[in-house]
Amino acid sequence: MNQPAANGQIDLSSPFRLDGQVCLVTGASSGFGVRFARVFAAAGAKVAVAARRADRLEALAAELPDALAVRCDVGDDDACRDLVAQVVDRYGKVDVLVNNAGVSDAINPGEQADVESFRHVVDINLNACFLLAGLVAADIIGREATGSIINVASVHGHVASAPNLQPAYAASKAGLVNLTRDLAVQWATRGVRVNALCPGYFETELTAPMFDDDRSMAWISRNAPMRRPGHEHELDGALLFLASDASSYVTGSSLMVDGGWTAR
Ligand SMILES: NC(=O)c1ccc[n+]([C@@H]2O[C@H](COP(=O)([O-])OP(=O)(O)OC[C@H]3O[C@@H](n4cnc5c(N)ncnc54)[C@H](OP(=O)(O)O)[C@@H]3O)[C@@H](O)[C@H]2O)c1
């Protein structure tokens, strides 16, 4: 827990450090997850990375000190249980979980009601986050320790996806935002903080079709009050804040990193 420095000076950097902490990042084979793993390692944490593309995970783990790569399809409940068990076997605990693995639906106009696609997106973006949060919280509560769960939601957990027409994405992320509140309140006195990180548009594999399309880029520039998408490093501060003691009195919140998208 955050303490004033012994000499009475205000210490602004150490509350953000993660030395001795074990951080598990899902969806760490590309995009945000790769960056999050590197940021945690730079802050002193041991990092476990999970996704389906094991070769990419191995390459990432090889560049980080004492990291663990675990192949895991988060849509498979047993694989999620095995993931958390492997991290606890290796390090003895999990302090921080980032529920980052996510998918978006193809354009799915509501009147066509493509339920299969809807179910799959909700399964990965919401149901898996519930299971993994519960498994990690059980470890933290069982040790009578403190820890942080960060659910990577989206601006589209707060506003509609139109004109993208991705109802499953919007519904799953909105569900994740309120799951965040519900679990935060459940665990508020038991050492587990739960918050949502809600990015606007950033260039990753997920958004590549938009970033390759001039009209989409113009739409992002028109709608983001800062008139541009986010840059990869612009999530670093929010991630470290939510993971670390710097946010020791923050739980159940949504931290928007969106250039003002949802403030309009
Ligand atoms: N980029 C943005 O503008 C933006 C904005 C708001 C929110 N987000 C959210 O940020 C998170 C990361 O997305 P990103 O933009 O970094 O996209 P990305 O590069 O496509 O990364 C998605 C990650 O999720 C993993 N994943 C997908 N399905 C999985 C499954 N069934 N099991 C395990 N892992 C799975 C992928 O790994 P494998 O394919 O190897 O399994 C990949 O590592 C997502 O939750 C996304 O909704 C992104």
Side-chain angles (χ1 to χ4, degrees), residues 27 29-30 32 52-53 72-74 100 153 169 173 200 202 204:
S29 59
S30 63
F32 292 168
R52 291 166 302 176
R53 287 171 291 180
C72 173
D73 180 340
V74 298
N100 171 68
Y169 190 81
K173 295 299 187 181
F202 288 70
T204 65

Side-chain angles (χ1 to χ4, degrees), residues 45-223:
K46 295 182 195 308
V47 187
V49 290
R52 291 166 302 176
R53 287 171 291 180
D55 50 337
R56 291 186 177 208
L57 296 177
E58 295 291 351
L60 176 61
E63 75 174 58
L64 307 175
D66 198 9
L68 174 69
V70 181
R71 189 192 177 282
C72 173
D73 180 340
V74 298
D76 176 340
D77 295 355
D78 288 337
C80 290
R81 291 188 187 94
D82 182 60
L83 166 63
V84 175
Q86 282 198 49
V87 179
V88 172
D89 263 11
R90 167 76 172 260
Y91 302 112
K93 61 174 185 169
V94 192
D95 300 295
V96 175
L97 166 68
V98 185
N99 267 323
N100 171 68
V103 290
S104 61
D105 32 356
I107 291 172
N108 187 2
E111 68 276 18
Q112 289 175 14
D114 178 353
V115 174
E116 270 317 296
S117 154
F118 192 95
R119 279 205 184 98
H120 174 67
V121 173
V122 172
D123 214 27
I124 303 304
N125 290 5
L126 179 59
N127 299 344
C129 299
F130 173 65
L131 174 58
L132 284 165
L135 293 166
V136 168
D139 173 70
I140 296 167
I141 292 167
R143 290 184 288 112
E144 298 185 10
T146 58
S148 167
I149 295 173
I150 301 169
N151 292 322
V152 181
S154 166
V155 290
H156 297 303
H158 294 267
V159 296
S161 70
N164 287 347
L165 306 186
Q166 292 177 310
Y169 190 81
S172 63
K173 295 299 187 181
L176 191 55
V177 165
N178 217 35
L179 177 67
T180 297
R181 296 189 186 105
D182 206 78
L183 296 179
V185 172
Q186 281 194 37
W187 297 330
T189 59
R190 301 168 82 191
V192 183
R193 297 184 298 104
V194 191
N195 292 287
L197 177 59
C198 300
Y201 285 91
F202 288 70
E203 187 171 10
T204 65
E205 289 181 16
L206 189 80
T207 52
M210 294 186 76
F211 279 76
D212 290 344
D213 176 57
D214 289 345
R215 281 181 50 212
S216 300
M217 291 311 290
W219 176 74
I220 291 173
S221 298
R222 252 194 337 273
N223 286 286

